[in-house]
Amino acid sequence: MFEDLLVLRSEEGLRRIKSVQEWMERKAATQQIILDLLGAFPASYVPLDMTVLAESDQGNYIRKKISFTSEHEDRIPSYLLVPKQLTQPRPAVVCIHQTTPQGKDEPAGISGKEELFYAHHLADRGYITIAPDLITAGERVYPGLARYNTEGFYRRHPDWSALGKIIWDVRRSVDLLCTLDEVDKTRIGCIGHSLGGHSAFFAAAFDERIKATVSNCGLYPFQGEPYPFIWSRKPRLNPNCDFIYIPKLRNFLSCDKKPPFDMHEVIALIAPRAFYNSSSIAERMGDGKVRVTRERLEEVYIRVREVYTLLGAEDKMEFYLFEDGHTFPSEAREKAYAWLDRWLKNPI
């Protein structure tokens, strides 16, 4: 059973959260617990220093290849898709790629799976979209290392985490959007599949500027996970994928201890902002094991919905389950795009 998010433990025993103020206190405490595991964000910001490297006409929008600063001596190559003939500021969406070698090229519609061209799809729907390369992908592969090998990152940041870095880079992408006159700063969203899916809700949990979030095939609770070390593996455990999300999680898993938080607690931090999750209940790993079950996803939904209900925002959370494997099927995708339209194109 997942922990009840509205129960507080104290010296007097257990009591239920009944006010928004009590939830906000619980929220702040949960964010700190997560940050203690992920590692702190940089203490200061550096100028974005955006550079436009190339432009191309894509019919309904202009695709700009850009680069901007994440932290000192670290830049984020990205695609910025801007619809033509703008007469007023538009909603914008950060589009986070899956674990794919081409990185940003896939959501931007340049190469990869068409179902995952969501930056392109949304630009065609009138959104300004940005598709950044995450570390270890696209043009951000560390010298001498394979794609999705985080060894280079941990040489520079031994006390941080790759997941913490992804959150920071998404935040910097939002910073960039907020500098653009074409963007309505009050209507910024985030979307992703797989790696991009859980990156999206982790980023939204720590950035209140993200008003609507879509995660597809990115929700895998620690509890019941058949491969718990997938979140903190050492490179030698799987030479084909050396991406280490949260090194400090190993301190718990190696001792069979329960991690200090789970995914329903992360998602609850987004409330009362809009959150849409779509997940496959037919997704199997190479050995045939099911990665996540309907029962676990439904329990996450129930627990998170209690928080949304407390905050009077029941209509701002939706779960959709499908049986098409690790993919973003057309029905789930159209529901996701309609969800973003509802909360970013209409008055909030």
Side-chain angles (χ1 to χ4, degrees):
M1 293 289 290
F2 292 106
E3 182 178 355
D4 189 329
L5 298 174
L6 297 184
V7 170
L8 289 176
R9 291 176 172 82
S10 65
E11 295 179 357
E12 293 75 29
L14 302 179
R15 66 181 181 84
R16 193 158 187 81
I17 292 175
K18 296 183 179 180
S19 71
V20 174
Q21 179 60 37
E22 286 184 319
W23 168 250
M24 295 306 293
E25 293 171 2
R26 171 72 182 269
K27 176 178 179 176
T30 301
Q31 286 178 318
Q32 189 57 56
I33 289 170
I34 296 171
L35 283 177
D36 287 345
L37 205 65
L38 299 185
F41 297 128
S44 60
Y45 288 82
V46 295
L48 288 164
D49 186 29
M50 185 185 84
T51 301
V52 178
L53 305 173
E55 292 189 18
S56 61
D57 190 323
Q58 298 299 310
N60 292 328
Y61 62 85
I62 301 298
R63 184 177 69 216
K64 301 180 181 182
K65 185 176 182 181
I66 66 171
S67 173
F68 59 95
T69 304
S70 169
E71 46 177 329
H72 183 61
E73 296 184 349
D74 180 30
R75 295 183 67 81
I76 306 176
S78 307
Y79 284 111
L80 179 67
L81 281 51
V82 182
K84 296 178 181 178
Q85 299 177 343
L86 297 181
T87 58
Q88 59 185 6
R90 293 282 185 90
V93 181
V94 182
C95 301
I96 313 174
H97 63 76
Q98 64 159 337
T99 307
T100 183
Q102 54 262 63
K104 65 184 179 302
D105 285 14
E106 186 165 68
I110 297 171
S111 64
K113 298 179 179 179
E114 187 174 356
E115 69 199 55
L116 301 178
F117 288 178
Y118 30 83
H120 161 69
H121 296 156
L122 292 170
D124 270 344
R125 293 172 79 105
Y127 290 91
I128 295 169
T129 61
I130 185 170
D133 271 336
L134 301 183
I135 54 168
T136 73
E139 298 179 74
R140 296 182 79 189
V141 179
Y142 291 96
L145 298 177
R147 298 181 188 279
Y148 294 97
N149 186 319
T150 50
E151 182 182 342
F153 168 76
Y154 288 112
R155 287 182 195 146
R156 182 177 181 185
H157 295 293
D159 298 320
W160 206 4
S161 65
L163 183 52
K165 170 61 170 171
I166 289 173
I167 296 171
W168 177 258
D169 285 351
V170 174
R171 178 182 290 187
R172 294 296 280 164
S173 299
V174 175
D175 290 342
L176 188 282
L177 291 174
C178 288
T179 68
L180 304 177
D181 293 338
E182 301 94 333
V183 171
D184 183 337
K185 285 73 172 172
T186 67
R187 301 174 191 270
I188 294 176
C190 191
I191 187 173
H193 166 73
S194 192
L195 164 64
H198 51 254
S199 297
F201 65 71
F202 266 95
F206 287 92
D207 196 330
E208 299 284 334
R209 297 172 299 177
I210 299 174
K211 302 302 183 183
T213 304
V214 169
S215 172
N216 182 73
C217 285
L219 174 52
Y220 302 103
F222 295 146
Q223 184 173 309
E225 167 66 73
Y227 308 93
F229 279 93
I230 202 169
W231 292 97
S232 63
R233 68 163 68 86
K234 295 180 180 179
R236 67 173 183 271
L237 295 178
N238 185 346
N240 296 319
C241 184
D242 296 340
F243 196 93
I244 302 175
Y245 286 93
I246 314 173
K248 291 181 182 178
L249 192 61
R250 219 176 289 138
N251 299 335
F252 296 86
L253 298 176
S254 60
C255 300
D256 292 324
K257 292 182 179 179
K258 180 181 176 181
F261 69 89
D262 211 324
M263 300 304 170
H264 67 302
E265 294 173 89
V266 180
I267 294 171
L269 300 177
I270 300 172
R273 290 167 288 136
F275 176 71
Y276 172 94
N277 177 76
S278 49
S279 293
S280 169
I281 55 172
E283 184 178 332
R284 295 183 179 275
M285 303 298 281
D287 59 4
K289 289 183 180 179
V290 176
R291 182 81 192 274
V292 66
T293 65
R294 175 186 291 273
E295 291 74 22
R296 287 166 65 209
L297 291 167
E298 287 178 344
E299 189 176 350
V300 168
Y301 172 81
I302 290 169
R303 292 303 186 192
V304 176
R305 186 172 178 80
E306 291 176 339
V307 176
Y308 273 82
T309 299
L310 173 71
L311 301 179
E314 300 97 318
D315 60 337
K316 288 189 175 181
M317 188 188 78
E318 182 175 332
F319 272 42
Y320 175 72
L321 307 183
F322 57 87
E323 299 182 356
D324 291 342
H326 193 71
T327 183
F328 203 175
S330 58
E331 186 173 355
R333 196 167 61 248
E334 286 307 313
K335 285 179 176 288
Y337 296 165
W339 181 260
L340 291 174
D341 286 350
R342 178 182 180 186
W343 297 111
L344 295 181
K345 287 188 175 180
N346 297 321
I348 299 175

